Amino acid sequence: MQKERNRREELRPYIEILSFWGESIEDYLFVFDVEQQQFYFSSCIWEKYPLPFMDISFGMEDWISVIDIRDRNRMVNNLEELKTGQTDQINLEYRMIDRKGVSVWVNCIGKCVSYDDGKPSIIVGNISENVVSKKIDQLTGLQNQTVLEGIFQEAFQKDETGYFLVVGIDDFKNVNDKYGRKYGDEQLKKLAEIIDKNLDYDSQLYRLDGDKFGVNLVGYTQENTRAFYERIKMDFSIQTYSTVSAGAAGYPMDVNNYHNLYQYAEDALNQSKQQGKNKLSFFSLDNYKGHLFFIDLKEEILESIKNNFEGFYIYYQPVVKNEDGTLVKSEALMRWRSKQYGEISPVVFIPILEQTGLILEAGKWILQNAMKQCHAWREFIPNFRMNINLSYIQLKDKKLMEIVLDALNKADLPGSAIILEVTESIQLQDYSYFNLLFYQLNKKGIQISIDDFGTGYSSLGYLKELRVDEIKIDRCFVKSIQEGGYNSHLIKNMIELAHSVNIRVCVEGVETIEERTVLKKLSPDVIQGYYFGKPETPDNFFQKFITKAKNGEPIVDDGERKVVSENNNLLKKNSKNYQNLLDELDDIIYVCDAETYELYYINKLGKKLTGVFDYSGKKCYEVFQKDKQICADCHKEYLVTGTFHTKVKRKKEVEFLIKEKLIVWDGKQSRLVIVTDTGEGYKSRT
Ligand code: C2E
Ligand code: CA
Ligand code: CA
């Protein structure tokens, strides 16, 4: 007791300073007696935090009781280090629970001012809510992303492992727009609450920008991370009827610096959003490279367009009369050659043009050039016409009419020389808008064609609602068409329906004499496809097709093709020998369609290991991954350069080297895949 009294005498000058200064500042000043483990505080701390108000001092247990349970360990460890003389300072951020039960982030700093035997004896310090407030999100009370760099730097130094998970509310902008900001804020708070409830003590939740939260899942594996996400996803959808997507990157497996970790987790989140939302994706270097590839292309396309469409050019594909195979028109197809990557498919670059709005400029460019070309060929075939593709973004452009008429004018063409192709899509369902536009175009003689017919929404309904002149039946209906088969019935019905409302029919993607023969009987008006001719440069188009058309000849002699086709069948028989050869290899080899992933070929080892011997009609991911969706790291974009793209994949304990390339297989653009086991894995099991 005497000792305690003496101690208090020693501390008196400090305590007096506390009560003097404590009145005039917002922070809470304190003196900590290291030896006695006692705190002395300026008085106002009792107003906000539930500390015993018996004396101006209190002990360790009382102090610990107001610290958030998740932060206690860190604080106790720090005080222990002071006691043992390992340090003479405090600099910590932790949460305190106030009288309302709200957890408040504070910054606690202190410095030793007196020593006994070289060990700190008295610490004088300050607890501040203000210092931390810049690092705290006002809405949720969580720390924001400004603290993350320090947190992860420390984690990397300590060689910790774990996952950084970024979670975002799907379509949050719509939620805000539709139900107001207040409702949106409630959703954010709810999500924070749900994540927080599911967290263990070592892991930590942070508010990032917009609708996103970051979670540092310390010590988690990929499986634990997925289970964690599934719990949040379920709780959130039950409580709010909304969904959340997430992306995760592992440290140090994927990356060991903070900036890339953040970037990678966000990239994985974008992946989830692009793949339909309400899901978790893990970071993959391949996907990331794919993403960078897109950014590269975007920059280069912009540069090309600025440089007067450098690298852009147009191919033309013939469209012939079904009856006699004579040329009636052509479809203009845009092409672009990248300086870095070579030829890029329009399936890749058109979406980039659309995303960036550059499609308006590029669309105008192709309208003007294709019309000029049409004018030139009309000298040889007076009624020659040109089909030109329009993106829905162009259709929504108020200047479209003006641009089309201006291009016709410049090319000195009547409106009846062109047909504008629009793709069947959900956007087209604003019937009144489009009917008015189509009506205005029709008045100038310009016709409208619905592209890729049958692949979109409520296809047949279109024919009643929209005033169009032509439909182009998609090539997927032509594939493996045989007389009396399902596809031939379907096409027959589509043709009859279109004809009953005076709409012309074009069938696309006719590749073989067999398809041509079946289609001829179904009487579409015109047909298009590799059987008649591939898209060609203007010079080649002229040489191959216009010269024949001038003389009224069909551009392909069906009789000649029949002989070639029979020879091809002979070749096919020979190809059996090559397939036997592939069956001897100890790599898995398969070929699938580049667009639909339908399997065309699997060698013997592939069939043996998957147990799938009849793969006809099946997709590669169904057979090899036993999955219903394409693999997340499967990118066609890599394959544009024509060389093998390689990647390494691990499955359980086995490492595979995968080589892929685009090839033509039976006239179809296909993906050749060679899978090599780099260790003893499957070889030892065969
Ligand atoms: P699309 O409008 O459906 O064009 C037909 C596509 O099918 C072309 O691919 C053509 O080369 C291909 N094709 C034609 N016959 C056959 C065949 O017998 N078999 C097979 N397997 N394919 C055939 P391409 O040129 O790669 O164009 C792809 C898509 O890019 C086009 O599909 C179109 O949606 C878009 N596109 C191309 N040029 C333009 C353009 O100038 N503007 C817009 N908005 N889109 C364009
Ligand atoms: Ca088209
Ligand atoms: Ca098409």
Side-chain angles (χ1 to χ4, degrees):
M1 204 60 181
Q2 184 59 36
K3 198 179 167 196
E4 211 172 284
R5 213 167 289 139
N6 289 345
R7 188 69 175 159
R8 198 162 284 184
E9 276 312 303
E10 268 175 57
L11 292 178
R12 180 173 297 283
Y14 298 110
I15 294 168
E16 276 171 6
I17 293 173
L18 276 190
S19 45
F20 175 73
W21 281 108
E23 303 287 311
S24 49
I25 59 172
E26 278 182 21
D27 293 353
Y28 309 113
L29 303 181
F30 69 85
V31 172
F32 179 57
D33 182 349
V34 179
E35 191 189 315
Q36 300 288 321
Q37 298 275 294
Q38 284 277 321
F39 282 95
Y40 299 81
F41 261 95
S42 52
S43 58
C44 48
I45 193 151
W46 282 269
E47 287 165 20
K48 182 152 181 184
Y49 297 96
L51 287 158
F53 193 62
M54 296 177 304
D55 197 350
I56 56 163
S57 74
F58 49 82
M60 204 54 167
E61 268 182 30
D62 289 329
W63 178 242
I64 287 178
S65 72
V66 293
I67 308 292
D68 191 309
I69 197 162
R70 293 168 292 191
D71 299 330
R72 284 180 189 170
N73 269 350
R74 280 191 302 126
M75 201 217 43
V76 170
N77 289 344
N78 190 232
L79 293 181
E80 196 54 36
E81 285 171 7
L82 281 169
K83 203 172 166 187
T84 54
Q86 285 169 270
T87 180
D88 61 357
Q89 291 190 20
I90 306 177
N91 187 357
L92 272 184
E93 277 170 11
Y94 47 79
R95 284 160 287 193
M96 290 174 63
I97 309 292
D98 71 9
R99 288 190 181 275
K100 291 180 196 147
V102 175
S103 94
V104 180
W105 277 97
V106 298
N107 175 243
C108 172
I109 52 168
K111 197 160 171 39
C112 180
V113 292
S114 132
Y115 294 87
D116 281 343
D117 313 329
K119 287 185 185 170
S121 144
I122 294 168
I123 303 273
V124 174
N126 173 25
I127 286 187
S128 166
E129 292 169 4
N130 289 335
V131 175
V132 195
S133 65
K134 283 197 207 80
K135 302 176 185 173
I136 299 299
D137 169 51
Q138 295 301 316
L139 180 73
T140 56
L142 294 170
Q143 285 179 294
N144 59 29
Q145 64 202 72
T146 56
V147 303
L148 278 176
E149 185 164 1
I151 304 264
F152 280 112
Q153 255 160 14
E154 203 181 312
F156 295 140
Q157 265 165 20
K158 288 192 199 154
D159 285 334
E160 280 178 356
T161 64
Y163 275 85
F164 182 51
L165 180 78
V166 177
V167 185
I169 300 176
D170 292 331
D171 304 313
F172 187 67
K173 197 182 167 307
N174 290 351
V175 171
N176 261 341
D177 290 349
K178 209 164 162 188
Y179 302 107
R181 272 199 91 80
K182 199 153 172 251
Y183 182 83
D185 285 352
E186 287 309 314
Q187 286 230 327
L188 288 171
K189 281 202 246 176
K190 186 94 241 157
L191 180 57
E193 189 189 307
I194 288 170
I195 299 178
D196 201 46
K197 232 171 37 203
N198 279 290
L199 274 184
D200 55 39
Y201 292 160
D202 288 335
S203 299
Q204 194 75 257
L205 168 65
Y206 306 90
R207 169 90 195 267
L208 311 180
D209 52 0
D211 60 298
K212 285 177 290 186
F213 292 89
V215 195
N216 178 18
L217 295 169
V218 180
Y220 274 50
T221 61
Q222 206 175 74
E223 284 77 37
N224 296 341
T225 304
R226 183 169 293 288
F228 180 81
Y229 165 73
E230 292 297 334
R231 284 201 299 274
I232 287 163
K233 172 176 149 176
M234 193 169 72
D235 288 357
F236 191 68
S237 71
I238 290 173
Q239 295 186 37
T240 66
Y241 304 108
S242 298
T243 58
V244 286
S245 294
Y251 57 87
M253 305 77 84
D254 289 330
V255 57
N256 62 0
N257 73 73
Y258 158 69
H259 288 289
N260 284 355
L261 181 68
Y262 194 110
Q263 205 175 352
Y264 287 3
E266 285 225 305
D267 190 72
L269 171 65
N270 288 340
Q271 183 89 17
S272 296
K273 300 238 176 193
Q274 277 164 17
Q275 288 176 357
K277 305 175 187 142
N278 196 22
K279 64 181 289 190
L280 163 70
S281 303
F282 286 95
F283 169 76
S284 120
L285 196 60
D286 268 357
N287 287 344
Y288 187 65
K289 282 187 187 157
H291 179 69
L292 294 184
F293 170 73
F294 266 91
I295 294 176
D296 263 4
L297 284 192
K298 215 188 257 186
E299 282 170 4
E300 210 193 315
I301 287 181
L302 190 69
E303 213 40 50
S304 286
I305 291 184
K306 266 200 217 146
N307 289 337
N308 210 9
F309 288 88
E310 185 190 17
F312 279 87
Y313 52 101
I314 308 172
Y315 269 22
Y316 297 89
Q317 188 179 24
V319 180
V320 304
K321 217 190 266 177
N322 175 57
E323 233 166 63
D324 57 11
T326 52
L327 181 72
V328 282
K329 55 182 181 171
S330 72
E331 178 175 1
L333 293 159
M334 208 187 296
R335 295 286 177 265
W336 178 62
R337 190 178 297 115
S338 148
K339 280 186 186 153
Q340 278 185 77
Y341 299 100
E343 201 69 51
I344 304 290
S345 159
V347 180
V348 175
F349 75 77
I350 298 275
I352 297 180
L353 290 175
E354 289 179 334
Q355 277 166 25
T356 49
L358 291 168
I359 191 72
L360 291 177
E361 294 229 17
K364 186 169 160 184
W365 177 85
I366 197 168
L367 279 166
Q368 291 181 346
N369 287 287
M371 285 189 208
K372 265 189 222 152
Q373 189 60 69
C374 183
H375 179 87
W377 286 335
R378 276 165 86 96
E379 285 209 10
F380 304 93
I381 308 162
N383 293 326
F384 189 79
R385 299 161 95 184
M386 185 68 77
N387 274 38
I388 305 170
N389 292 285
L390 282 190
S391 155
Y392 68 89
I393 295 177
Q394 289 170 277
L395 286 174
K396 280 280 179 185
D397 180 22
K398 298 227 158 40
K399 289 205 186 121
L400 176 70
M401 195 69 195
E402 192 186 312
I403 290 168
V404 172
L405 294 181
D406 181 55
L408 280 172
N409 217 358
K410 282 192 174 123
D412 189 20
L413 271 188
S416 58
I418 61 164
I419 296 132
L420 298 177
E421 293 191 13
V422 300
T423 305
E424 184 188 347
S425 77
I426 192 85
Q427 280 87 358
L428 268 191
Q429 288 188 346
D430 186 357
Y431 296 132
S432 53
Y433 174 86
F434 289 107
N435 275 336
L436 181 63
L437 177 68
F438 296 166
Y439 169 72
Q440 286 165 343
L441 288 163
N442 272 174
K443 272 208 308 198
K444 303 284 176 191
I446 302 159
Q447 296 198 346
I448 302 293
S449 173
I450 299 284
D451 203 356
D452 307 332
F453 187 81
T455 59
Y457 303 80
S458 61
S459 314
L460 296 175
Y462 272 20
L463 298 187
K464 283 203 303 271
E465 304 293 343
L466 276 176
R467 40 187 312 154
V468 299
D469 306 280
E470 179 185 80
I471 56 168
K472 296 187 78 171
I473 296 180
D474 191 76
R475 68 183 153 97
C476 67
F477 298 99
V478 179
K479 233 181 209 174
S480 59
I481 191 172
Q482 78 274 61
E483 213 160 340
Y486 178 74
N487 272 351
S488 80
H489 278 298
L490 208 61
I491 292 190
K492 185 166 176 273
N493 286 340
M494 287 193 223
I495 294 173
E496 278 171 6
L497 191 78
H499 283 170
S500 73
V501 281
N502 283 327
I503 293 175
R504 204 170 52 235
V505 177
C506 172
V507 179
E508 283 192 274
V510 184
E511 292 182 353
T512 62
I513 177 81
E514 290 81 8
E515 289 166 356
R516 159 71 170 137
T517 314
V518 176
L519 276 172
K520 196 166 184 177
K521 293 186 190 147
L522 299 179
S523 308
D525 302 271
V526 287
I527 23 185
Q528 178 180 352
Y530 294 169
Y531 174 77
F532 301 100
K534 292 198 167 173
E536 299 281 0
T537 61
D539 281 351
N540 285 346
F541 189 92
F542 186 84
Q543 296 302 333
K544 288 188 177 172
F545 313 120
I546 301 268
T547 42
K548 281 191 180 158
K550 269 195 310 189
N551 307 326
E553 294 170 29
I555 64 172
V556 169
D557 184 333
D558 291 344
E560 243 172 48
R561 280 284 166 96
K562 210 159 209 145
V563 177
V564 175
S565 162
E566 275 153 16
N567 284 340
N568 270 345
N569 286 341
L570 254 175
L571 263 178
K572 267 189 196 153
K573 272 186 203 135
N574 270 335
S575 76
K576 264 264 165 273
N577 289 334
Y578 297 115
Q579 298 196 0
N580 287 345
L581 226 146
L582 296 180
D583 281 343
E584 290 306 314
L585 298 180
D586 63 359
D587 293 327
I588 296 173
I589 297 176
Y590 66 90
V591 179
C592 64
D593 190 281
E595 303 289 337
T596 64
Y597 299 95
E598 188 182 329
L599 279 162
Y600 295 142
Y601 171 75
I602 309 184
N603 72 342
K604 194 169 158 189
L605 182 65
K607 287 189 279 196
K608 196 167 166 185
L609 286 174
T610 55
V612 180
F613 292 87
D614 179 12
Y615 50 83
S616 60
K618 293 200 168 71
K619 315 260 182 183
C620 60
Y621 46 85
E622 290 169 347
V623 170
F624 289 97
Q625 303 295 332
K626 312 287 179 211
D627 209 337
K628 288 199 168 52
Q629 285 177 356
I630 53 165
C631 309
D633 60 353
C634 194
H635 280 286
K636 189 178 163 193
E637 294 75 61
Y638 287 136
L639 310 178
V640 290
T641 50
T643 51
F644 269 112
H645 169 69
T646 51
K647 63 184 173 193
V648 174
K649 223 175 175 172
R650 286 191 71 80
K651 204 165 180 195
K652 298 205 173 119
E653 289 310 299
V654 189
E655 190 177 87
F656 302 103
L657 175 73
I658 300 177
K659 291 176 69 177
E660 297 176 83
K661 186 179 178 179
L662 284 185
I663 59 163
V664 177
W665 179 272
D666 274 349
K668 299 181 186 92
Q669 204 180 42
S670 309
R671 187 192 284 258
L672 164 68
V673 185
I674 304 172
V675 186
T676 308
D677 175 0
T678 57
E680 279 312 299
Y682 66 61
K683 282 180 194 160
S684 57
R685 283 186 274 128
T686 56

